[in-house]
Structure formats: structure tokens, C-alpha cells
Amino acid sequence: MSSHIEKNNKALLRLIGELQDYAIILLDTEGIIQNWNLGAQRIKGYAADEIVGKHFRIFYTLEDQQAGTPENLLKKAAETGKAVDEGRRVRKDGSTFWGSITITSIRDEAGELIGFGKVTHDLTDKKKAQRTQALEMRNLELEQFNYIASHDLQEPLRTVLNYIQVIKEDHAHQLDDAMNDYLEKIESSSNRMRTLIRSLLDYSRLGKQSELSKVDTRNLVKEVLEDMSAAIHMTKATILVNNLPTLEGLATELRQLFQNLISNGIKFAKQNVAPVIKIDCHVEDPGWRFTISDNGIGIDAKHASRIFHIFERVETGLKHDGHGIGLANCKKIVELHEGRIWVDSNLGDGSNFHFTISNKLL
Ligand code: ADP
């Protein structure tokens, strides 16, 4: 009988050892790796002799390590019997995969904790498939929208603008002052409409043609500031940049995000007060929280969420030429990075724009 159980146990161990889609490992009470199966090798890239004896913290991103995620999971498993997590994990070569992780506490007959069992399922393919499907749906909607915006709206507008030109060029002598005035108004409204349609198109295209890549945000901000050097010089703005991270994101869109927020900080300065803009970043699970603060005119709390809506502007008493799409673009860009954006500000007291970027993008 006992040899029957032993045989079954051996078969079970062999099965676990050969499972390819699951990394199944044993940890001691401190989290030190005790064994290694084929699945662990396939998913994480280490051979058994390279990894047995190391702490399982090695599979976690730097941010997760700093946040104490591996230790917290062990603590939870020790206290409740089981800890479940899903997130990005690091392979031997530094690349990452998306894993679903279950850690179970193992106790001896006396109930004493003797270690943990850890099962990791590689969900990268599943997650990629979900993402692709969501992207395909969104792209389809965007294509329909782009078609409508570019053909159905732009075409009649082009006709209106053409006829205005014809009237101005061929019938100028028939126009009195009042008619000239009306014509100017029609022309400037039509031009404004053209700008709005174009910005809608730009909005709809955000994220459409981009691929995730490693983005050094410190460098990116440096380049944005170089592009803005004329405005910075003219307004005598001071820009203070703190430590900024390298992250995985959409480079062109992130550049636009920083560009919009920094230029708003300059644009909405108090009269006769040189703008001071601070750019800062903190690690915040699951990623980072950036803050761009200014010493400008501030925003009344009652407008704090509406300014992120498309074409929404607030009467500021300042003359500026925006049309209320900058922050809507920022919101969409942040959401493409699975983050959120918000402002804390008081009228007359400067503004702090915060946004988060997730490090769990694939
Ligand atoms: P625009 O600049 O074209 O008006 P935005 O979408 O960039 O559009 O901003 C929307 C509104 O939010 C602005 O009209 C302004 O009232 C307010 N706003 C944005 N940034 C700031 C800021 N840094 N300080 C004060 N108000 C701001």
C-alpha cells in the first residue's frame, strides 16, 4: 500500500517537474527557492543550478521589490494560507512576462510553517490576445470616425471656404461694408471649424500608430524644453526638473503630454509673474505618479474635472489661442497608459497636475 502511494507521489512529482506552462517551485520560510521545474525554466529562463538557493524576489520588478511586494505576498500566505497576485514579472534576460501567481503556505503535522508552494502561470499570450482584441475594436471605431470626420465634415466645409474665396475675388465690387463684415465672420467661423475638425482627428488618432517602447522621460522632457525654448525665454520661465524614470510607453504621445502640461503652465501664468514650473515623479504602485506644478492663475475647484473634456475651456480673463483640446488629449494619452490624470488647484494659487502611468503595460 505504502509503496503504491510512494509510486503515485513519484509520478506526481515527475508530472510537476515536466509541466511546461506552469512554474511550480517550493520556497523555504524566508522565500529561498528550493526546487525548479521545466515550466519554471521555460517561463523564467534560469536553469535549476543558477536559481536554487536564491531569494524569489529576483522575479520581481525593481518597483515591486521597493514596494516589498514579494515579502507582503509571503506574509499574506503565511497568515491566511494563500496569496494570489497577477502582474509583470522579470525573466533572467531582464524581459518581462505577465503572470498569475498563487503562493500557498506549507505546514508540518504540528501546524508549524515549513515553507511555501508557488505556482506561476504565464498569461502573456492571453493578455496579448485580450489587448489585441480591444485594440482592434477601438481601431475599427476610430477608422469609421476618421472617415466621417475627414470626408463628411471636411468636404462641405471646403465648399463653403471655396465660395467665400470666389465671392471675395470675383464679386468684391458688389459688396458693401456690412456684407464684407459678414463674409469675414463666415470665413473665420469656417476656419475655426476646420481647426476643430482637425483637432478631433488628431485626438482620435492618438495611440493608433504607436508601439510601446522604452522611454527615458528625463530625456524626453529635455527635448520638449528645447523645443519650447523661445516661449521659455520670452516669459522668463524657470523650469525645475526632478529625477524622472525610464518607462515603457508610447513615446510620441508621452512627448505631447509633457508638452501640453508644461506649455499650459507657461500660458496660464499670472500677469507680471514669471512662471515657475516643477516637474516631479514618484514611484506609485503600479507605476509612477508625475506632477507638473505651476505658480499661475490656478483653477476654480468647480471646473477641475470639466477641463479634461474635449473642447471645454474656462474663461480665464487671459487672451490665449487654445480651443480646449489640450487636456482632453492629455487624458486620452494617460488612459492609453492605464493611468489617470487630475488637478489640484485653487483659483489664484497655482495648479498641480498629476498623472499616473502604469508599469503593467504589455
Ligand atoms: P486650452 O489651453 O486650449 O484652453 P486645455 O484643454 O489645455 O485647452 O485647457 C482647458 C482649460 O483648462 C483652459 O482653458 C484653462 O482654463 C484651464 N487650464 C489648463 N491648464 C491650466 C493651468 N496650468 N493653470 C490654469 N488653468 C489651466
Side-chain angles (χ1 to χ4, degrees):
M1 181 70 181
S2 80
S3 87
H4 183 63
I5 293 177
E6 220 166 86
K7 239 166 77 189
N8 276 348
N9 278 346
K10 272 197 185 145
L12 185 65
L13 282 177
R14 208 170 43 241
L15 187 73
I16 288 175
E18 284 171 7
L19 266 180
Q20 300 245 355
D21 287 335
Y22 291 85
I24 301 177
I25 57 178
L26 292 172
L27 306 175
D28 73 4
T29 51
E30 302 302 315
I32 306 292
I33 299 161
Q34 306 292 305
N35 80 312
W36 202 236
N37 76 333
L38 261 185
Q41 181 160 344
R42 190 190 71 78
I43 295 173
K44 303 187 196 226
Y46 297 92
D49 57 349
E50 295 175 302
I51 195 76
V52 171
K54 297 244 164 71
H55 195 279
F56 85 112
R57 192 189 296 122
I58 199 165
F59 307 134
Y60 287 75
T61 61
L62 199 61
E63 294 76 36
D64 275 339
Q65 292 187 14
Q66 280 166 353
T69 308
E71 289 78 10
N72 290 340
L73 286 170
L74 278 198
K75 191 159 166 265
K76 184 163 179 222
E79 282 166 8
T80 66
K82 187 168 145 184
V84 180
D85 189 31
E86 193 178 308
R88 224 143 63 91
R89 296 293 179 266
V90 184
R91 295 193 187 95
K92 182 184 167 190
D93 63 5
S95 63
T96 56
F97 66 96
W98 194 268
S100 134
I101 293 99
T102 305
I103 301 181
T104 320
S105 64
I106 305 172
R107 295 183 178 276
D108 64 14
E109 277 143 22
E112 197 66 37
L113 184 70
I114 51 171
F116 299 92
K118 178 170 180 285
V119 180
T120 304
H121 187 189
D122 183 356
L123 294 180
T124 308
D125 290 344
K126 193 171 150 208
K127 182 97 179 158
K128 268 195 182 145
Q130 281 172 349
R131 224 180 133 82
T132 313
Q133 198 184 15
L135 271 176
E136 274 169 4
M137 291 275 290
R138 200 162 64 204
N139 283 347
L140 195 69
E141 281 169 21
L142 281 175
E143 263 156 39
Q144 286 167 346
F145 174 79
N146 278 344
Y147 188 83
I148 293 169
S150 57
H151 289 77
D152 298 355
L153 298 180
Q154 297 218 81
E155 195 49 46
L157 192 60
R158 217 169 285 140
T159 311
V160 172
L161 282 163
N162 282 345
Y163 276 112
I164 292 171
Q165 272 324 102
V166 171
I167 296 172
K168 276 171 109 176
E169 281 166 18
D170 299 349
H171 302 275
H173 58 284
Q174 292 168 278
L175 302 178
D176 61 22
D177 286 351
M179 283 164 89
N180 264 321
D181 200 32
Y182 295 148
L183 208 56
E184 287 303 321
K185 289 200 165 82
I186 297 171
E187 190 174 21
S188 95
S189 286
S190 306
N191 279 328
R192 182 168 155 71
M193 187 160 172
R194 185 163 62 182
T195 311
L196 295 181
I197 291 172
R198 285 191 179 155
S199 36
L200 262 184
L201 264 172
D202 291 342
Y203 175 83
S204 75
R205 284 185 185 133
L206 282 175
K208 204 179 163 208
Q209 266 147 13
S210 330
E211 294 262 324
L212 287 176
S213 65
K214 277 223 175 319
V215 182
D216 176 350
T217 55
R218 206 168 76 106
N219 237 342
L220 188 114
V221 166
K222 200 168 141 236
E223 285 167 12
V224 167
L225 295 179
E226 275 162 16
D227 289 346
M228 292 171 62
S229 59
I232 293 173
H233 185 72
M234 216 163 69
T235 55
K236 299 195 167 61
T238 307
I239 320 273
L240 305 165
V241 187
N242 245 334
N243 266 345
L244 299 181
T246 294
L247 47 81
E248 210 145 331
L250 307 171
T252 314
E253 280 76 6
L254 286 174
R255 173 191 291 267
Q256 189 175 344
L257 173 64
F258 282 105
Q259 145 90 38
N260 284 350
L261 293 176
I262 298 169
S263 68
N264 276 354
I266 295 179
K267 201 160 73 173
F268 296 105
K270 286 181 192 157
Q271 247 178 357
N272 302 322
V273 180
V276 178
I277 304 199
K278 291 186 194 136
I279 306 166
D280 212 346
C281 179
H282 295 280
V283 171
E284 185 180 285
D285 197 33
W288 299 269
R289 176 159 58 95
F290 290 81
T291 301
I292 297 181
S293 19
D294 64 57
N295 58 340
I297 58 172
I299 299 161
D300 192 328
K302 69 172 186 264
H303 301 308
S305 67
R306 138 174 125 76
I307 55 170
F308 296 99
H309 297 167
I310 210 160
F311 298 144
E312 285 281 3
R313 304 176 66 193
V314 179
E315 195 37 67
T316 57
L318 295 176
K319 257 183 93 70
H320 72 269
D321 53 3
H323 45 272
I325 195 139
L327 289 179
N329 281 335
C330 291
K331 182 166 187 281
K332 183 165 176 196
I333 293 167
V334 167
E335 285 170 359
L336 285 168
H337 292 82
E338 290 174 18
R340 60 188 196 97
I341 184 167
W342 69 103
V343 65
D344 77 71
S345 172
N346 285 313
L347 200 56
D349 225 8
S351 310
N352 304 297
F353 280 86
H354 308 280
F355 64 86
T356 58
I357 299 283
S358 169
N359 62 1
K360 295 195 168 158
L361 305 169
L362 270 176

